Amino acid sequence: YLISLHTYMNITFEVIRESEGGYVAACMSERIFAEGNDLEELHNNLSYAIDRKFEGRVKPDPSSVQLMIYRE
């Protein structure tokens, strides 16, 4: 049997909405950081950062990525 590692990998980001605007995200289990002026830009930058971090390895399934958003 082949078991996908995607099933067991969860990536959680703490996202801070800064008072001056914009978002900063830091992964709680990996060294992954990203920022964006809005949530769409943050999403794109997180996707890129995750792809770079897991380059050459099994990448987490997008549904396993969680964002915990806080206001500064």
Side-chain angles (χ1 to χ4, degrees):
Y1 292 91
L2 293 176
I3 299 174
S4 171
L5 294 178
H6 291 264
T7 307
Y8 301 106
M9 193 179 304
N10 287 318
I11 303 290
T12 302
F13 287 88
E14 184 177 79
V15 179
I16 304 295
R17 181 177 176 195
E18 297 187 328
S19 57
E20 297 93 33
Y23 296 85
V24 176
C27 183
M28 299 173 75
S29 60
E30 300 281 341
R31 293 187 66 175
I32 307 172
F33 305 92
E35 57 186 20
N37 292 321
D38 54 38
L39 288 175
E40 183 178 355
E41 183 178 27
L42 178 66
H43 176 268
N44 292 335
N45 292 342
L46 281 173
S47 295
Y48 177 77
I50 291 168
D51 284 346
R52 295 287 302 189
K53 176 68 176 181
F54 291 95
E55 193 171 328
R57 303 184 325 184
V58 175
K59 292 181 178 67
D61 185 86
S63 67
S64 71
V65 177
Q66 300 174 338
L67 303 179
M68 297 171 30
I69 301 176
Y70 302 95
R71 193 176 260 182
E72 185 177 60

